[in-house]
Amino acid sequence: MTAEVAPAPSTALTAAEELMWRRFSAVLSTVPASLDEQLRAATGLNHFQYTVLDALSHQEGRRLQLAQIARAHESSLSRLSHSITRLENAGYVERTTCDHDRRANWAVLTDSGADVVERSRGEYTRIIRATLLDRVPVEHREALTHVLTALLPAEVAEQCSSLDADLEAQVEA
């Protein structure tokens, strides 16, 4: 018996691979700007700011450490700090020092921030449906979720799983 040898990887993309990459690139370059534009018009917040407030609204005590938020959104602490400052100035979050680690800070959702998230949730849901859900057949959604998770850097996927444990449990049930 002769052992099968895997073909050497080609450096050239097939037409199907190139087409997939081009579509992926188009999504990366158009969807974020569209989300920002729609959310700003509806809520006054950009997508990143809304997702930070929304993430806080789902947490015990409505708070998360800044480093945890940054990891989950693959954001630099600098970008996050700038956004948190804007959200603080709007009265939507407060930044507090972690009692067990003085180097760490918490972002804490204020009542005003919780009100903004709650008032915006319907519009955000409409945007999500128009941008993604209404375009992906129900029978493909689970597979797409797995593919999107696989595309994330491992640390980000792990952090997302940690923050989304409640949803993942509901999906599995």
Side-chain angles (χ1 to χ4, degrees):
M1 265 193 203
T2 59
E4 289 188 42
V5 177
S10 170
T11 57
L13 298 176
T14 66
E17 291 168 336
E18 180 70 24
L19 181 61
M20 181 175 28
W21 179 252
R22 288 180 185 182
R23 293 302 185 271
F24 180 70
S25 293
V27 166
L28 290 177
S29 63
T30 59
V31 171
S34 175
L35 287 174
D36 276 348
E37 182 181 319
Q38 291 178 68
L39 270 171
R40 238 187 233 105
T43 69
L45 302 168
N46 67 32
H47 187 240
F48 183 69
Q49 292 166 333
Y50 181 86
T51 58
V52 168
L53 295 179
D54 186 56
L56 292 170
S57 76
H58 294 288
Q59 299 305 308
E60 182 75 30
R62 299 189 320 197
R63 69 184 193 159
L64 283 169
Q65 284 191 5
L66 293 180
Q68 191 177 12
I69 298 169
R71 282 191 306 272
H73 294 283
E74 190 68 357
S75 171
S76 68
L77 282 172
S78 174
R79 176 185 182 213
L80 177 62
S81 182
H82 184 69
S83 290
I84 293 294
T85 297
R86 280 199 231 142
L87 294 171
E88 276 182 304
N89 291 340
Y92 300 151
V93 297
E94 293 175 349
R95 202 179 318 218
T96 62
T97 303
C98 181
D99 49 353
H100 64 274
D101 182 354
R102 292 283 179 207
R103 295 169 297 164
N105 287 305
W106 294 96
V108 182
L109 187 66
T110 65
D111 290 341
S112 179
D115 288 343
V116 165
V117 170
E118 193 55 41
R119 282 193 322 267
S120 303
R121 202 170 305 261
E123 187 61 21
Y124 187 64
T125 300
R126 185 199 65 74
I127 292 167
I128 289 170
R129 289 195 181 287
T131 304
L132 178 67
L133 298 176
D134 293 346
R135 296 172 181 209
V136 177
V138 173
E139 64 271 16
H140 297 300
R141 291 180 184 175
E142 184 178 350
L144 180 57
T145 300
H146 289 295
V147 168
L148 293 172
T149 302
L151 292 174
L152 293 171
E155 183 178 288
V156 175
E158 184 178 309
Q159 192 64 43
C160 287
S161 287
S162 171
L163 293 176
D164 297 337
D166 60 328
L167 293 176
E168 290 178 358
Q170 290 176 36
V171 169
E172 291 173 4

